[in-house]
Amino acid sequence: FRAALGWAVDTPSPAVALGLGFELWRFWQKRGHLSEARRRLDEIAVRPWAGEDKPGHARLLEALGGVAYWQGDFRGAIPAYRGALDLWREIGDRAEIANALYNLAFTYNIDANATEVAPRFDLSLGRPLLEESLAIYREIGDRRGIGNVLWALGSADLFASRSETALPALVEARDEFRAAGERTMEAWALHMIGVVHVQTGDYP
């Protein structure tokens, strides 16, 4: 894959470069190759041909935003995620718009107790993005997407000690994940529901 990506950038073969860059980013993230991912994605992003394929460019920016996010570089993630959102709005793909809103929201919905980071961001910006994303996912009937956004909203409320709104969001998220067959996220929702019950003293 490294050889193929290098060949695609140098030749160039934009479709291969953009496609591989997007498809590999989760592998790089999960295996701890974030520095390599950032370098390779940055190398693609500056090429003049990178913006010619708008869907491919949007996905590249999503990958760049994801890598920056997992590096803890929220300042770097925001323009990448916002660029992807702008492109998907221009293209008009509702599912991708919802996903881009969801991604961008996470750059604002960070732990308010993280004093080195939180003062730099307006945490109130994340919720409207998530609410717009949720509305689109409900409109198109994407149960996994609905579950993802409800999980994010419920988690944000949990960390803000708003258990009365966190619990119903997380319970609905669990149900959506279960219906969609998303076992990993169903487990995450169950975990967060348990944390809410601990937070409220409902140990049984």
Side-chain angles (χ1 to χ4, degrees):
F1 282 126
R2 283 171 170 147
L5 194 55
W7 171 87
V9 171
D10 293 338
T11 298
S13 178
V16 175
L18 293 168
L20 273 179
F22 176 72
E23 295 295 345
L24 284 170
W25 92 262
R26 277 292 187 186
F27 168 81
W28 285 324
Q29 179 237 334
K30 289 179 182 294
R31 294 295 186 272
H33 302 299
L34 290 171
S35 295
E36 177 183 358
R38 187 71 175 270
R39 176 174 55 80
R40 288 181 176 274
L41 293 172
D42 279 338
E43 183 182 14
I44 298 169
V46 299
R47 299 295 171 126
W49 42 259
E52 293 174 2
D53 173 0
K54 288 184 180 179
H57 190 208
R59 292 188 179 97
L60 176 71
L61 290 173
E62 178 184 337
L64 257 174
V67 170
Y69 177 88
W70 285 103
Q71 286 183 312
D73 178 13
F74 300 107
R75 288 282 183 204
I78 289 173
Y81 277 151
R82 190 166 291 284
L85 174 59
D86 290 344
L87 281 170
W88 287 122
R89 286 198 193 279
E90 184 181 338
I91 294 164
D93 188 314
R94 300 288 283 163
E96 292 289 0
I97 292 168
N99 180 59
L101 287 162
Y102 172 78
N103 288 332
L104 180 59
F106 272 89
T107 61
Y108 299 108
N109 278 5
I110 54 177
D111 186 358
N113 295 316
T115 54
E116 291 301 311
V117 177
R120 304 176 191 169
F121 298 95
D122 181 355
L123 300 180
S124 67
L125 292 174
R127 182 168 293 274
L129 295 169
L130 289 172
E131 288 172 349
E132 184 183 353
S133 177
L134 180 60
I136 296 171
Y137 277 133
R138 289 195 191 281
E139 171 195 321
I140 65 178
D142 185 329
R143 303 197 78 164
R144 182 181 184 275
I146 293 168
N148 280 339
V149 179
L150 288 169
W151 180 85
L153 286 166
S155 298
D157 282 341
L158 169 63
F159 293 130
S161 298
R162 294 190 292 264
S163 55
E164 69 283 354
T165 52
L167 186 58
L170 290 166
V171 167
E172 187 181 352
R174 176 204 62 195
D175 294 344
E176 293 293 336
F177 289 135
R178 187 171 287 165
E182 288 286 340
R183 297 286 285 164
T184 298
M185 289 306 297
E186 179 186 347
W188 263 114
L190 286 164
H191 169 78
M192 299 304 283
I193 290 167
V195 175
V196 174
H197 288 313
V198 170
Q199 191 178 69
T200 58
D202 183 9
Y203 299 113

